[in-house]
Amino acid sequence: MSQQTINFTLNGVPTRVTVPVQMSALEMIRNVAGLTGTKYGCGEGECGACTIILDGVSLNSCLLFAVECDGRQVTTVEGLADDPLGRRIEKAFVDAGAVQCGFCTPGMVMQARQLLEKNPHPSREEIQRGIEGNLCRCTGYVKIIDAIEAATKE
Ligand code: FES
Ligand code: FES
């Protein structure tokens, strides 16, 4: 299988990895870079569990080839540790009880981060639309929307 070396910024850290050209960005993040916060749900772009931010745009990392990260800025949920908005959203999820099994949570938080950066004061409907690509099998979404709404008010 042919391999390629790529250089990119992962959560602010210059990173160089050599990966098979067919490897997804999700596999690379989890299995090569060792950051397991980004989850593998469906592998088909349907669930949003694998959401990352690439050059300021949220996307499903299962649908992206790792080699497409070359030269770009990649942020995963681990990268929110030093990010005030990301931390505020994470705290709001905990405070609102918006986490049950937690499998969807990293993707939800990343998507919420993207939403609030673009629209700091969304309506509930806009929040609902903003996370429509992220599936949760546990919560019924109400507490997730409550959490994102609460994060806009702090
Ligand atoms: S694992 Fe990527 S969208 Fe489901
Ligand atoms: S908390 Fe379990 S899938 Fe969302």
Side-chain angles (χ1 to χ4, degrees):
M1 193 183 293
S2 90
Q3 307 247 332
Q4 190 174 323
T5 298
I6 57 172
N7 295 284
F8 62 105
T9 304
L10 180 57
N11 298 330
V13 179
T15 301
R16 178 186 181 88
V17 294
T18 300
V19 291
V21 292
Q22 297 95 331
M23 180 177 270
S24 71
L26 174 59
E27 270 184 277
M28 182 269 289
I29 288 165
R30 290 182 56 85
N31 302 334
V32 180
L35 298 181
T36 55
T38 307
K39 301 303 181 201
Y40 182 103
C42 64
E44 297 176 350
E46 298 290 339
C47 75
C50 64
T51 303
I52 61 168
I53 297 177
L54 182 76
D55 287 344
V57 177
S58 66
L59 47 73
N60 294 326
S61 59
C62 68
L63 297 183
L64 184 76
F65 287 114
V67 293
E68 292 178 273
C69 295
D70 194 29
R72 304 175 81 176
Q73 303 271 346
V74 175
T75 305
T76 68
V77 70
E78 289 88 350
L80 300 189
D82 298 323
D83 171 68
L85 177 55
R87 288 176 66 91
R88 205 161 79 218
I89 295 166
E90 287 172 345
K91 181 175 182 306
F93 268 64
V94 173
D95 292 348
V99 180
Q100 287 187 30
C101 80
F103 200 81
C104 70
T105 309
M108 285 286 184
V109 168
M110 293 301 283
Q111 190 60 27
R113 170 74 180 72
Q114 170 84 0
L115 172 68
L116 297 191
E117 186 171 73
K118 291 197 174 333
N119 179 3
H121 299 289
S123 65
R124 281 185 78 84
E125 198 189 328
E126 286 170 329
I127 293 172
Q128 209 169 325
R129 257 188 278 123
I131 60 165
E132 67 190 359
N134 292 71
L135 303 185
C136 176
R137 300 174 73 174
C138 307
T139 65
Y141 299 99
V142 173
K143 288 184 176 177
I144 291 174
I145 295 167
D146 288 347
I148 297 171
E149 192 173 38
T152 69
K153 294 187 174 143
E154 288 173 35

